[in-house]
Amino acid sequence: MNQETDLDKALEAIRNGQFVLVFDDDDREGEVDMIIASEFVTPKSIATMRNDAGGLICNCLHDDFCEAIHLPFMVDIMKAATEKYPELAKLAPTDIPYDERSSFSVWANHRKSFTGVTDHDRAMTISEMAIMMKEGRFDEFGATFRSPGHVCLLRGAEGLVKNRQGHTEIGLALCELAGVTPVCVVCEMMDGETGQATSVADARKYAEENGLVLLRGEDIINEYLKE
């Protein structure tokens, strides 16, 4: 019988609504992100990311879903707005040191939320969005969510890691491999002492103390590219 691999454990964790830690690459952001399938996100999940990760809590959507709800990249929104606001052209992210482009889209809140930023409100925005995508209720997107809001939406690249290998695509690929709805939350782990990203060594210690799996992004990428 084959021994269970860390990837096997990660896929099972994703199916069970648990966090997986993923280090992208030394030559990219060089960061470890906490990743969880969005359909399972609860207020406790948000609190864990706030307290134990500390980075930006983002909801990543598969390109197919983004096409279905007509969700653009933020750079495209800004480009379209330059006719009225020409100064926006000067903000174009043409010098990102670790990537050719950004996956940022709009920020949103669920219309039933209050401020939108509480653990309860963000969990509702994130989980309800994933469930909507899962059920194919794409025409309800604008009626259910409003923007601007407090949950950052990231648009996955077409083909995911075949065309871009950021945490957005890696997390969505992990969901696909696990057989869950490809909408996920990513949150960078930050080190409050150094003011930098949490080291892989410290992230590994955190994973061991909390019974979590730590993977390198290339493990997920290589598996996904076999498909």
Side-chain angles (χ1 to χ4, degrees):
M1 185 175 179
N2 294 331
Q3 185 175 1
E4 186 179 39
T5 67
D6 283 344
L7 180 58
D8 292 329
K9 295 176 183 176
L11 295 176
E12 187 63 22
I14 289 294
R15 294 185 195 107
N16 291 332
Q18 299 169 345
F19 285 107
V20 172
L21 308 188
V22 178
F23 175 69
D24 59 349
D25 192 274
D26 287 316
D27 295 326
R28 202 175 181 285
E29 291 179 325
E31 294 175 352
V32 177
D33 277 29
M34 298 184 77
I35 298 179
I36 185 172
S38 297
E39 60 189 292
F40 304 118
V41 165
T42 65
K44 184 178 179 181
S45 309
I46 302 297
T48 297
M49 288 183 278
R50 282 195 300 102
N51 294 323
D52 296 355
L56 196 60
I57 297 174
C58 301
N59 201 29
C60 310
L61 288 85
H62 193 284
D63 176 69
D64 290 347
F65 294 150
C66 293
E67 285 294 309
I69 60 176
H70 308 292
L71 185 71
F73 288 104
M74 179 53 68
V75 291
D76 293 332
I77 296 173
M78 292 175 63
K79 184 177 180 180
T82 54
E83 184 175 344
K84 185 173 182 179
Y85 303 101
E87 289 296 306
L88 287 177
K90 298 178 181 179
L91 296 175
T94 56
D95 57 350
I96 299 175
Y98 57 84
D99 205 345
E100 293 182 358
R101 60 181 176 79
S102 168
S103 61
F104 279 91
S105 183
V106 301
W107 291 63
N109 284 346
H110 196 288
R111 289 189 183 273
K112 290 183 179 179
S113 67
F114 185 52
T115 65
V117 76
T118 62
D119 295 342
H120 173 274
D121 283 356
R122 281 194 277 183
M124 175 169 58
T125 297
I126 288 166
S127 61
E128 290 295 323
M129 194 175 297
I131 292 169
M132 177 180 289
M133 298 302 107
K134 181 178 184 177
E135 296 177 351
R137 294 182 284 111
F138 306 125
D139 59 343
E140 297 177 19
F141 187 72
T144 306
F145 303 96
R146 59 175 174 259
S147 183
H150 292 83
V151 173
C152 176
L153 306 185
L154 303 182
R155 176 170 175 152
E158 182 179 1
L160 299 183
V161 296
K162 296 175 183 177
N163 294 308
R164 184 176 183 272
Q165 299 184 344
H167 275 111
T168 300
E169 290 74 23
I170 291 171
L172 292 171
L174 187 62
C175 286
E176 276 199 3
L177 290 169
V180 303
T181 309
V183 181
C184 68
V185 175
V186 297
C187 184
E188 307 94 341
M189 297 190 75
M190 299 286 110
D191 188 328
E193 295 297 321
T194 66
Q196 302 294 329
T198 297
S199 67
V200 176
D202 285 346
R204 182 172 291 110
K205 181 180 179 182
Y206 175 85
E208 291 171 352
E209 291 174 347
N210 291 275
L212 303 178
V213 181
L214 172 63
L215 287 177
R216 297 186 69 91
E218 65 185 73
D219 298 330
I220 300 165
I221 293 168
N222 292 338
E223 184 65 24
Y224 189 82
L225 293 178
K226 292 179 183 177
E227 298 292 306

